[in-house]
Amino acid sequence: MSRAILQVMVRGRVQGVGYRAWVESQAIAYGLEGWVRNRRDGSVEALFAGAPTHVADMVALCRHGPPSSRVDSVTSETASVDELNLRRVGEAFSVLPTV
């Protein structure tokens, strides 16, 4: 089974509107591993790992976000498996502190 790992940066009105919690719930529903966190510049950063179609679907979902958000841009790049080490021990998908 092939596996994709993408690191995603979301810009717009995405902090304070439940975006991280929404990403977490969607990623878990898709069976993805990874993490999500706010950045001090107002963006949200996430890492998704799993079946390539599920990862691609998750990135597409991030372009819309929850109803209260406004997504201006989503960029993604391939990431290494080492990036998964940022997760909390024992969690498949983690909400991390702001960086």
Side-chain angles (χ1 to χ4, degrees), residues 5-8 33-36 45-49 79 83-84 93:
I5 302 175
L6 287 181
Q7 192 162 358
V8 177
E33 295 179 73
W35 48 262
V36 62
E45 181 181 20
L47 182 92
F48 304 116
E83 294 293 325
L84 283 172
F93 199 90

Side-chain angles (χ1 to χ4, degrees), residues 13-22 38 44 66-70:
R13 190 180 67 162
V14 291
Q15 287 192 25
V17 295
Y19 198 91
R20 283 187 308 174
W22 176 83
N38 286 338
V44 170
S68 57
S69 69
R70 184 195 76 238

Side-chain angles (χ1 to χ4, degrees), residues 11-71:
R11 291 184 171 75
R13 190 180 67 162
V14 291
Q15 287 192 25
V17 295
Y19 198 91
R20 283 187 308 174
W22 176 83
V23 167
E24 178 188 31
S25 68
Q26 296 298 311
I28 289 170
Y30 273 90
L32 298 175
E33 295 179 73
W35 48 262
V36 62
R37 63 185 173 191
N38 286 338
R39 297 188 55 89
R40 286 189 179 92
D41 67 2
S43 63
V44 170
E45 181 181 20
L47 182 92
F48 304 116
T53 55
H54 291 168
V55 171
D57 289 346
M58 188 65 213
V59 173
L61 283 174
C62 286
R63 294 185 192 287
H64 301 287
S68 57
S69 69
R70 184 195 76 238
V71 176

